[in-house]
Amino acid sequence: MAEQAQFQELAHQLSAVGAVKRDLGRILPHDCPAGSAAVLTLLGRHGDMRMSKLAELLAVDMSVTSRHVAHVAERGWIDRSPDPADKRSRILHLTDTGREQLDTLYRRSTELLADRLSDWTDDEVGQLIGLMTRLRASFGDCRTAPRLPSPAIETTTRTPAST
């Protein structure tokens, strides 16, 4: 297992990921805030779904999801059609215009990452992808209640004498 100091440094580095997210947020089209981009991305990745499923994937409550959905629907990026299994529910799906907007989002984020990581090798980018995928898997489904660390994990910094 890694040393406590390494975990502290990892926590510090992960907090810096916020700068990357902010940079990615700055390239969003003016009429497509982050919540709208998330709706489009999830529908693009997972396909048609009920609003309740979208709220689950976004990890926000239904009122927030409703605002995001209303925003993208007003722009014609998604359609809301009755769910044949439950007429009270709506199925959300991307329109052709929504797919174009999603393509724009993908293109802009890809161009930004390619620019910022231009001095990285393909192998280094692949390693980062692999490690981030593994990190996400280690944390599991972040939409569920957080799992507290086991009591066996030390919370103090180790000294060479204690190893």
Side-chain angles (χ1 to χ4, degrees), residues 11-152:
H12 173 74
Q13 292 300 325
L14 287 173
S15 69
V17 170
V20 175
K21 289 183 71 173
R22 283 188 298 279
D23 234 12
L24 286 166
R26 287 184 191 105
I27 62 165
L28 293 174
H30 73 281
D31 61 342
C32 187
S36 297
V39 169
L40 295 175
T41 300
L42 288 170
L43 286 170
R45 181 178 301 142
H46 298 283
D48 299 354
M49 69 182 75
R50 285 183 175 185
M51 192 133 69
S52 58
K53 177 67 175 178
L54 180 61
E56 179 186 328
L57 291 171
L58 289 170
V60 297
D61 66 44
M62 284 294 284
S63 65
V64 173
T65 303
S66 293
R67 285 194 299 273
H68 293 322
V69 166
H71 185 267
V72 295
E74 287 168 6
R75 280 147 187 79
W77 299 336
I78 65 166
D79 278 332
R80 298 176 275 193
S81 56
D83 182 347
D86 180 357
K87 298 295 183 195
R88 296 168 298 165
S89 295
R90 299 275 182 233
I91 300 290
L92 310 174
H93 59 274
L94 286 173
T95 62
D96 289 341
T97 306
R99 287 184 209 294
E100 290 171 14
Q101 182 70 354
L102 186 57
D103 288 344
T104 298
L105 298 175
Y106 285 151
R107 182 183 44 76
R108 287 181 178 197
S109 61
T110 300
E111 287 172 357
L112 177 68
L113 290 169
D115 178 63
R116 297 294 196 274
L117 304 180
S118 63
D119 59 338
W120 290 42
T121 66
D122 288 347
D123 188 50
E124 289 170 327
V125 173
Q127 288 174 20
L128 178 62
I129 292 166
L131 290 170
M132 290 185 78
T133 300
R134 186 173 173 193
L135 177 67
R136 286 186 63 199
S138 293
F139 277 79
D141 185 352
C142 293
R143 294 178 300 271
T144 59
R147 188 180 78 204
L148 298 175
S150 68

